[in-house]
Amino acid sequence: MPASPPASPLVAAASRPAVSPAVVALALALLLGLQPVTTDLYLPALPRLTRDFGATLAQSQLTMSALILAFGIGQLFWGPVADRFGRRPVLLLSLALYTAASVASALAPAIGWLVLWRTLQGAALAAAVVCARAMVRDFYEPTEGAHVMSKGMSGLGLIAIASPVLGGTLAATLGWRAPLGAVAAIGAVALAFVALRLPESLAPRNRQALRLGPLAGAVREVLGHRTFRAWSALVACTYGGLFAILALSSFVYIEVLGLAPGQFGIALASASVAYLLGTFQCRRWLLRHGLDGAVRRGAAFSLAGGLSMAALALAGVQEVWAVLLPQWLYAFGHGIHQPCGQAGAVGPFPRNAGVAAALNGFMLAATAFLVGLWVGQAMDGSTRPMGLVVGVFGIATATVGWTLVQRHGVPARVRTA
């Protein structure tokens, strides 16, 4: 029996519950905010737990890189599942798993167990993020979706500001397990919000999403689309540099530059303020210049941040300001590229938004995982490894933003200056 034709956009929109943009933005902030909560909140505790477990730097980096690998692979699974069964049931299940894995992480008796529970945490986190990105496409067209996404990213920015400060305070006063316990509590809050406030956004469900033939066809369609490839390349490049900062910053600031965990938390939070300002600027540039115009301007900040951090590190300037100021520039650019890139990547695929969000997220996570493997071996007691990696990704982000995104990111009829 042939499959029934997909519902028209008007029918699909009519069957969705009315949800205010404020609720959607808050949901995005909570769901996407779990990513910086999972990474940033425990970073001030990373050197201490490394010493307590008697682990090497490479072993402690596995608590980050294994999480990111599971996060990337998990999206390939959860994306089609969310297209088939809807966003809400997938979110409820994954957030329950995330909270449980977070509790287990806080109680881990050895570094190996911590890596295991962080891996499961990353797999559950994947569903929250992929459903959040797909939900934007369920409700909005790409440009409007980028605007709402930037509001959600502003909320994410506030969470990212608070996470390292809270993590540093907890680590300094209660030990390294306390930040991981706080992650579990935040996961429980996100689960409660979804259960009580967030309705299903997908209408209708794609009954073909998990069948091998249609799924393979959807993957080919997404990967073959030049717009998807352009935006995914941008997101992967900008996050590659950010992940290098996340993976190495605690050791650079605490072990190399001599900051206390609480001071490091403030330094990392200040970079999140720059990211938050970038999301605000993103909304202004979106209204004036569109998706491609916003990215064209944001790329200059990515390039300036990356090149300045690399140049100062190569010159041997081992000072806090020589890392922090370039980090602010790079984070500001990241606040522009992330909402544009995530909305742009799923924009062409209203019927397969979950698959598109999953593939986009996998590319991002695969890039971060490779960076994590490298930085775990590269730390040499200086700022050079972090500076060089951020410099490379600053150049790559600007190159993609000024070429591929300008050529393929937005249909010609809606391009703006």
Side-chain angles (χ1 to χ4, degrees):
M1 181 178 178
S4 58
S8 71
L10 290 177
V11 172
S15 60
R16 295 190 192 104
V19 182
S20 73
V23 171
V24 176
L26 180 55
L28 289 173
L30 283 173
L31 295 174
L32 297 176
L34 287 178
Q35 191 171 349
V37 162
T38 310
T39 55
D40 298 12
L41 203 149
Y42 98 121
L43 283 179
L46 195 55
R48 182 168 297 183
L49 73 85
T50 301
R51 290 193 298 270
D52 286 357
F53 280 139
T56 66
L57 176 59
Q59 288 174 323
S60 67
Q61 286 297 328
L62 274 178
T63 64
M64 179 76 82
S65 56
L67 179 143
I68 289 296
L69 180 62
F71 174 67
I73 295 174
Q75 291 181 73
L76 298 178
F77 169 78
W78 291 115
V81 171
D83 282 341
R84 171 61 183 87
F85 296 106
R87 320 304 184 202
R88 181 177 164 84
V90 169
L91 283 171
L92 292 173
L93 173 61
S94 63
L95 289 172
L97 293 174
Y98 174 88
T99 303
S102 301
V103 171
S105 295
L107 300 175
I111 190 70
W113 284 104
L114 181 57
V115 171
L116 172 63
W117 294 122
R118 292 278 289 175
T119 301
L120 294 177
Q121 211 177 11
L125 174 65
V129 172
V130 80
C131 286
R133 293 171 181 162
M135 183 175 64
V136 174
R137 186 60 187 91
D138 294 341
F139 285 122
Y140 307 106
E141 292 301 317
T143 299
E144 187 182 4
H147 188 79
V148 175
M149 178 70 84
S150 72
K151 290 183 178 179
M153 290 289 186
S154 296
L156 179 153
L158 292 173
I159 293 172
I161 290 168
S163 292
V165 175
L166 175 61
T169 301
L170 290 174
T173 57
L174 300 175
W176 65 263
R177 295 183 188 275
L180 293 173
V183 171
I186 295 169
V189 169
L191 174 60
F193 177 84
V194 170
L196 297 175
R197 294 298 307 274
L198 192 64
E200 179 58 60
S201 64
L202 182 63
R205 290 157 180 75
N206 183 355
R207 298 184 181 278
Q208 306 294 318
L210 295 179
R211 295 185 180 180
L212 185 59
L215 178 58
V219 170
R220 285 195 301 270
E221 178 193 1
V222 172
L223 293 178
H225 205 292
R226 292 184 298 182
T227 297
F228 173 83
R229 294 200 299 267
W231 288 116
S232 293
L234 179 77
V235 171
C237 288
T238 184
Y239 191 73
L242 182 71
F243 186 79
I245 294 171
L246 294 177
L248 286 176
S249 60
S250 60
F251 293 96
V252 166
Y253 281 112
I254 295 173
E255 302 291 336
V256 177
L257 302 178
L259 296 187
Q263 292 173 320
F264 162 67
I266 294 172
L268 195 60
S270 71
S272 296
V273 172
Y275 169 82
L276 179 63
L277 294 175
T279 65
F280 291 156
Q281 188 61 48
C282 177
R283 292 202 289 277
R284 288 193 286 267
W285 281 344
L286 278 171
L287 293 174
R288 295 180 182 178
H289 309 293
L291 284 166
D292 53 333
V295 167
R296 186 165 61 246
R297 289 158 176 81
F301 291 90
S302 303
L303 183 63
L307 288 182
S308 60
M309 186 179 292
L312 289 166
L314 288 173
V317 182
Q318 303 287 290
E319 302 288 344
V320 171
W321 68 265
V323 177
L324 193 58
L325 294 182
Q327 189 176 339
W328 289 347
L329 290 172
Y330 194 91
F332 184 88
H334 188 69
I336 294 165
H337 299 315
Q338 278 290 92
C340 292
Q342 291 183 8
V346 301
F349 311 105
R351 284 283 293 168
N352 294 303
V355 171
L359 290 170
N360 173 258
F362 175 77
M363 293 177 182
L364 178 153
T367 301
F369 177 71
L370 294 175
V371 171
L373 288 182
W374 184 81
V375 300
Q377 306 294 331
M379 193 60 190
D380 61 359
S382 75
T383 62
R384 283 190 299 273
M386 187 168 81
L388 289 175
V389 177
V390 177
V392 167
F393 279 107
I395 294 171
T397 301
T399 300
V400 171
W402 287 333
T403 57
L404 293 179
V405 169
Q406 302 307 308
R407 294 171 188 166
H408 309 303
V410 183
R413 66 179 180 276
V414 297
R415 288 186 184 276
T416 55

